[in-house]
Amino acid sequence: MDSNIISVSAAVQQFRLPRYSELPDVGLYLEQTTKYINSFLAPLGCLEITASMISNYVKKGLIPKPVKKQYFAEHLAYLFFIAIAKQLVSMENITVLIQMQKDSYPLPAAFNYLCGQMESVIYFLFGVTDTMEESGSTVSEEKELLRGLLFSAGHMIFLRARLDTYSAKKAAAVP
């Protein structure tokens, strides 16, 4: 394995999303919310959320309105999902996926599943682990759709990392 890929894998080994019970109990203001989410997504290198994006998601009804300009666990959970999903699917389909979650699973359970599966996909694709772990004991269409989305997102992240590594090598080789 290429040494640059090994260093990317080392950064990915630090990747961990907070579980629902670990999300802040106190409200975060908009800038704090973006910093909080982006700090967890940073090892992936390509997923980022901005204050204007969050404001647009509120206007479009994707996430609930903040309470006294503060964002809480429910907001954060949906924003993590949107930051990952927006790379692959339209906002309309994100709305459908969120509604599927609301109809099928309580948010804490759905968010914890998202976190575990995203970590498993990333660790597998970057060679941190040899297998992908399956979270939970039930099988459902909703879980299969989410797993497919996360697997696609993981492949996109892996591809970008490899292309960035290749471009960096080429740039370093130019005298």
Side-chain angles (χ1 to χ4, degrees):
M1 188 180 280
D2 181 313
S3 64
N4 286 330
I5 295 302
I6 291 170
S7 66
V8 169
S9 293
V12 167
Q13 286 178 347
Q14 303 304 313
F15 175 66
R16 182 183 180 283
L17 294 173
R19 298 315 190 252
Y20 197 85
S21 64
E22 298 168 348
L23 294 173
D25 278 341
V26 297
L28 300 177
Y29 290 104
L30 187 57
E31 289 301 320
Q32 293 171 313
T33 300
T34 60
K35 287 179 184 177
Y36 180 80
I37 292 169
N38 290 335
S39 71
F40 284 96
L41 298 177
L44 303 180
C46 62
L47 302 177
E48 191 171 272
I49 199 158
T50 66
S52 62
M53 288 176 181
I54 294 172
S55 296
N56 285 334
Y57 302 151
V58 171
K59 286 178 190 170
K60 292 180 181 187
L62 280 171
I63 65 170
K65 291 181 180 180
V67 178
K68 297 181 182 177
K69 298 185 180 187
Q70 294 180 330
Y71 297 84
F72 293 86
E74 177 184 16
H75 299 100
L76 297 171
Y78 284 123
L79 288 168
F80 273 108
F81 170 72
I82 292 168
I84 294 165
K86 73 182 176 78
Q87 306 295 313
L88 300 162
V89 297
S90 68
M91 286 301 161
E92 292 79 21
N93 284 333
I94 289 173
T95 301
V96 170
L97 290 166
I98 289 173
Q99 190 57 53
M100 287 176 73
Q101 172 270 307
K102 288 178 179 179
D103 292 343
S104 305
Y105 296 98
L107 182 57
F111 182 71
N112 290 341
Y113 182 80
L114 168 109
C115 294
Q117 287 303 286
M118 189 67 195
E119 291 165 3
S120 181
V121 165
I122 292 297
Y123 297 159
F124 175 72
L125 292 175
F126 280 89
V128 176
T129 60
D130 292 333
T131 58
M132 284 184 33
E133 292 183 27
E134 176 64 41
S135 297
S137 58
T138 60
V139 177
S140 68
E141 180 179 7
E142 295 81 5
K143 280 186 171 182
E144 290 300 315
L145 283 171
L146 181 60
R147 189 172 168 91
L149 175 76
L150 297 177
F151 201 67
S152 297
H155 277 286
M156 179 205 63
I157 292 163
F158 180 78
L159 178 63
R160 285 184 183 165
R162 292 297 298 257
L163 290 172
D164 288 349
T165 298
Y166 177 80
S167 296
K169 275 196 223 176
K170 285 296 204 187
V174 175

mmCIF file with all atom_site columns, all heavy atoms in Angstrom, residues 5 20 41 74 77 114 118 133 154 166-167:
data_model
loop_
_atom_site.group_PDB
_atom_site.id
_atom_site.type_symbol
_atom_site.label_atom_id
_atom_site.label_alt_id
_atom_site.label_comp_id
_atom_site.label_asym_id
_atom_site.label_entity_id
_atom_site.label_seq_id
_atom_site.pdbx_PDB_ins_code
_atom_site.Cartn_x
_atom_site.Cartn_y
_atom_site.Cartn_z
_atom_site.occupancy
_atom_site.B_iso_or_equiv
_atom_site.pdbx_formal_charge
_atom_site.auth_seq_id
_atom_site.auth_comp_id
_atom_site.auth_asym_id
_atom_site.auth_atom_id
_atom_site.pdbx_PDB_model_num
ATOM 1  N N   . ILE A 1 5   ? -1.392  6.746  1.134   1.00 0.00 ? 5   ILE A N   1
ATOM 2  C CA  . ILE A 1 5   ? -2.663  6.128  1.491   1.00 0.00 ? 5   ILE A CA  1
ATOM 3  C C   . ILE A 1 5   ? -2.615  5.669  2.939   1.00 0.00 ? 5   ILE A C   1
ATOM 4  O O   . ILE A 1 5   ? -3.585  5.790  3.675   1.00 0.00 ? 5   ILE A O   1
ATOM 5  C CB  . ILE A 1 5   ? -3.017  4.954  0.557   1.00 0.00 ? 5   ILE A CB  1
ATOM 6  C CG1 . ILE A 1 5   ? -3.232  5.479  -0.861  1.00 0.00 ? 5   ILE A CG1 1
ATOM 7  C CG2 . ILE A 1 5   ? -4.233  4.201  1.031   1.00 0.00 ? 5   ILE A CG2 1
ATOM 8  C CD1 . ILE A 1 5   ? -4.300  6.536  -0.998  1.00 0.00 ? 5   ILE A CD1 1
ATOM 9  N N   . TYR A 1 20  ? -25.791 9.703  19.690  1.00 0.00 ? 20  TYR A N   1
ATOM 10 C CA  . TYR A 1 20  ? -26.834 10.666 20.033  1.00 0.00 ? 20  TYR A CA  1
ATOM 11 C C   . TYR A 1 20  ? -26.705 11.157 21.478  1.00 0.00 ? 20  TYR A C   1
ATOM 12 O O   . TYR A 1 20  ? -26.827 12.345 21.738  1.00 0.00 ? 20  TYR A O   1
ATOM 13 C CB  . TYR A 1 20  ? -28.223 10.061 19.789  1.00 0.00 ? 20  TYR A CB  1
ATOM 14 C CG  . TYR A 1 20  ? -29.306 11.112 19.740  1.00 0.00 ? 20  TYR A CG  1
ATOM 15 C CD1 . TYR A 1 20  ? -29.571 11.785 18.559  1.00 0.00 ? 20  TYR A CD1 1
ATOM 16 C CD2 . TYR A 1 20  ? -30.038 11.436 20.866  1.00 0.00 ? 20  TYR A CD2 1
ATOM 17 C CE1 . TYR A 1 20  ? -30.552 12.765 18.500  1.00 0.00 ? 20  TYR A CE1 1
ATOM 18 C CE2 . TYR A 1 20  ? -31.020 12.414 20.824  1.00 0.00 ? 20  TYR A CE2 1
ATOM 19 C CZ  . TYR A 1 20  ? -31.277 13.082 19.639  1.00 0.00 ? 20  TYR A CZ  1
ATOM 20 O OH  . TYR A 1 20  ? -32.238 14.059 19.594  1.00 0.00 ? 20  TYR A OH  1
ATOM 21 N N   . LEU A 1 41  ? -16.274 15.759 10.897  1.00 0.00 ? 41  LEU A N   1
ATOM 22 C CA  . LEU A 1 41  ? -16.189 15.346 9.495   1.00 0.00 ? 41  LEU A CA  1
ATOM 23 C C   . LEU A 1 41  ? -14.829 15.630 8.873   1.00 0.00 ? 41  LEU A C   1
ATOM 24 O O   . LEU A 1 41  ? -14.516 15.128 7.802   1.00 0.00 ? 41  LEU A O   1
ATOM 25 C CB  . LEU A 1 41  ? -17.296 16.031 8.687   1.00 0.00 ? 41  LEU A CB  1
ATOM 26 C CG  . LEU A 1 41  ? -18.726 15.702 9.105   1.00 0.00 ? 41  LEU A CG  1
ATOM 27 C CD1 . LEU A 1 41  ? -19.719 16.508 8.280   1.00 0.00 ? 41  LEU A CD1 1
ATOM 28 C CD2 . LEU A 1 41  ? -19.008 14.214 8.998   1.00 0.00 ? 41  LEU A CD2 1
ATOM 29 N N   . GLU A 1 74  ? -31.272 17.108 18.276  1.00 0.00 ? 74  GLU A N   1
ATOM 30 C CA  . GLU A 1 74  ? -32.084 16.757 17.099  1.00 0.00 ? 74  GLU A CA  1
ATOM 31 C C   . GLU A 1 74  ? -31.569 17.455 15.845  1.00 0.00 ? 74  GLU A C   1
ATOM 32 O O   . GLU A 1 74  ? -31.408 16.837 14.792  1.00 0.00 ? 74  GLU A O   1
ATOM 33 C CB  . GLU A 1 74  ? -33.548 17.146 17.338  1.00 0.00 ? 74  GLU A CB  1
ATOM 34 C CG  . GLU A 1 74  ? -34.442 16.890 16.142  1.00 0.00 ? 74  GLU A CG  1
ATOM 35 C CD  . GLU A 1 74  ? -35.871 17.363 16.337  1.00 0.00 ? 74  GLU A CD  1
ATOM 36 O OE1 . GLU A 1 74  ? -36.132 18.163 17.264  1.00 0.00 ? 74  GLU A OE1 1
ATOM 37 O OE2 . GLU A 1 74  ? -36.723 16.929 15.546  1.00 0.00 ? 74  GLU A OE2 1
ATOM 38 N N   . ALA A 1 77  ? -28.130 15.934 14.788  1.00 0.00 ? 77  ALA A N   1
ATOM 39 C CA  . ALA A 1 77  ? -28.253 14.612 14.173  1.00 0.00 ? 77  ALA A CA  1
ATOM 40 C C   . ALA A 1 77  ? -28.665 14.733 12.708  1.00 0.00 ? 77  ALA A C   1
ATOM 41 O O   . ALA A 1 77  ? -28.072 14.099 11.829  1.00 0.00 ? 77  ALA A O   1
ATOM 42 C CB  . ALA A 1 77  ? -29.259 13.763 14.949  1.00 0.00 ? 77  ALA A CB  1
ATOM 43 N N   . LEU A 1 114 ? -26.611 5.310  11.827  1.00 0.00 ? 114 LEU A N   1
ATOM 44 C CA  . LEU A 1 114 ? -25.871 6.063  10.821  1.00 0.00 ? 114 LEU A CA  1
ATOM 45 C C   . LEU A 1 114 ? -24.398 6.160  11.206  1.00 0.00 ? 114 LEU A C   1
ATOM 46 O O   . LEU A 1 114 ? -23.517 5.903  10.384  1.00 0.00 ? 114 LEU A O   1
ATOM 47 C CB  . LEU A 1 114 ? -26.469 7.471  10.675  1.00 0.00 ? 114 LEU A CB  1
ATOM 48 C CG  . LEU A 1 114 ? -25.627 8.448  9.863   1.00 0.00 ? 114 LEU A CG  1
ATOM 49 C CD1 . LEU A 1 114 ? -26.283 8.724  8.525   1.00 0.00 ? 114 LEU A CD1 1
ATOM 50 C CD2 . LEU A 1 114 ? -25.412 9.727  10.619  1.00 0.00 ? 114 LEU A CD2 1
ATOM 51 N N   . MET A 1 118 ? -21.434 4.418  9.094   1.00 0.00 ? 118 MET A N   1
ATOM 52 C CA  . MET A 1 118 ? -20.492 5.301  8.398   1.00 0.00 ? 118 MET A CA  1
ATOM 53 C C   . MET A 1 118 ? -19.063 4.982  8.806   1.00 0.00 ? 118 MET A C   1
ATOM 54 O O   . MET A 1 118 ? -18.174 4.899  7.968   1.00 0.00 ? 118 MET A O   1
ATOM 55 C CB  . MET A 1 118 ? -20.829 6.769  8.681   1.00 0.00 ? 118 MET A CB  1
ATOM 56 C CG  . MET A 1 118 ? -20.041 7.741  7.826   1.00 0.00 ? 118 MET A CG  1
ATOM 57 S SD  . MET A 1 118 ? -20.528 7.599  6.104   1.00 0.00 ? 118 MET A SD  1
ATOM 58 C CE  . MET A 1 118 ? -19.206 8.466  5.305   1.00 0.00 ? 118 MET A CE  1
ATOM 59 N N   . GLU A 1 133 ? -18.698 -4.083 9.587   1.00 0.00 ? 133 GLU A N   1
ATOM 60 C CA  . GLU A 1 133 ? -19.610 -4.566 10.614  1.00 0.00 ? 133 GLU A CA  1
ATOM 61 C C   . GLU A 1 133 ? -21.021 -4.111 10.301  1.00 0.00 ? 133 GLU A C   1
ATOM 62 O O   . GLU A 1 133 ? -21.235 -3.022 9.788   1.00 0.00 ? 133 GLU A O   1
ATOM 63 C CB  . GLU A 1 133 ? -19.195 -4.017 11.979  1.00 0.00 ? 133 GLU A CB  1
ATOM 64 C CG  . GLU A 1 133 ? -17.877 -4.580 12.474  1.00 0.00 ? 133 GLU A CG  1
ATOM 65 C CD  . GLU A 1 133 ? -17.536 -4.068 13.863  1.00 0.00 ? 133 GLU A CD  1
ATOM 66 O OE1 . GLU A 1 133 ? -18.466 -3.731 14.612  1.00 0.00 ? 133 GLU A OE1 1
ATOM 67 O OE2 . GLU A 1 133 ? -16.344 -4.016 14.158  1.00 0.00 ? 133 GLU A OE2 1
ATOM 68 N N   . GLY A 1 154 ? -18.931 6.681  1.192   1.00 0.00 ? 154 GLY A N   1
ATOM 69 C CA  . GLY A 1 154 ? -17.598 6.191  1.529   1.00 0.00 ? 154 GLY A CA  1
ATOM 70 C C   . GLY A 1 154 ? -16.728 6.018  0.294   1.00 0.00 ? 154 GLY A C   1
ATOM 71 O O   . GLY A 1 154 ? -15.546 6.389  0.296   1.00 0.00 ? 154 GLY A O   1
ATOM 72 N N   . TYR A 1 166 ? -2.767  11.300 -5.531  1.00 0.00 ? 166 TYR A N   1
ATOM 73 C CA  . TYR A 1 166 ? -2.141  11.228 -6.854  1.00 0.00 ? 166 TYR A CA  1
ATOM 74 C C   . TYR A 1 166 ? -1.716  12.624 -7.318  1.00 0.00 ? 166 TYR A C   1
ATOM 75 O O   . TYR A 1 166 ? -0.593  12.818 -7.779  1.00 0.00 ? 166 TYR A O   1
ATOM 76 C CB  . TYR A 1 166 ? -3.116  10.598 -7.862  1.00 0.00 ? 166 TYR A CB  1
ATOM 77 C CG  . TYR A 1 166 ? -2.557  10.550 -9.256  1.00 0.00 ? 166 TYR A CG  1
ATOM 78 C CD1 . TYR A 1 166 ? -1.656  9.554  -9.643  1.00 0.00 ? 166 TYR A CD1 1
ATOM 79 C CD2 . TYR A 1 166 ? -2.922  11.498 -10.200 1.00 0.00 ? 166 TYR A CD2 1
ATOM 80 C CE1 . TYR A 1 166 ? -1.130  9.522  -10.917 1.00 0.00 ? 166 TYR A CE1 1
ATOM 81 C CE2 . TYR A 1 166 ? -2.409  11.479 -11.476 1.00 0.00 ? 166 TYR A CE2 1
ATOM 82 C CZ  . TYR A 1 166 ? -1.518  10.490 -11.842 1.00 0.00 ? 166 TYR A CZ  1
ATOM 83 O OH  . TYR A 1 166 ? -1.002  10.455 -13.106 1.00 0.00 ? 166 TYR A OH  1
ATOM 84 N N   . SER A 1 167 ? -2.604  13.599 -7.171  1.00 0.00 ? 167 SER A N   1
ATOM 85 C CA  . SER A 1 167 ? -2.297  14.975 -7.595  1.00 0.00 ? 167 SER A CA  1
ATOM 86 C C   . SER A 1 167 ? -1.131  15.550 -6.789  1.00 0.00 ? 167 SER A C   1
ATOM 87 O O   . SER A 1 167 ? -0.275  16.246 -7.337  1.00 0.00 ? 167 SER A O   1
ATOM 88 C CB  . SER A 1 167 ? -3.533  15.861 -7.427  1.00 0.00 ? 167 SER A CB  1
ATOM 89 O OG  . SER A 1 167 ? -4.565  15.415 -8.290  1.00 0.00 ? 167 SER A OG  1
#
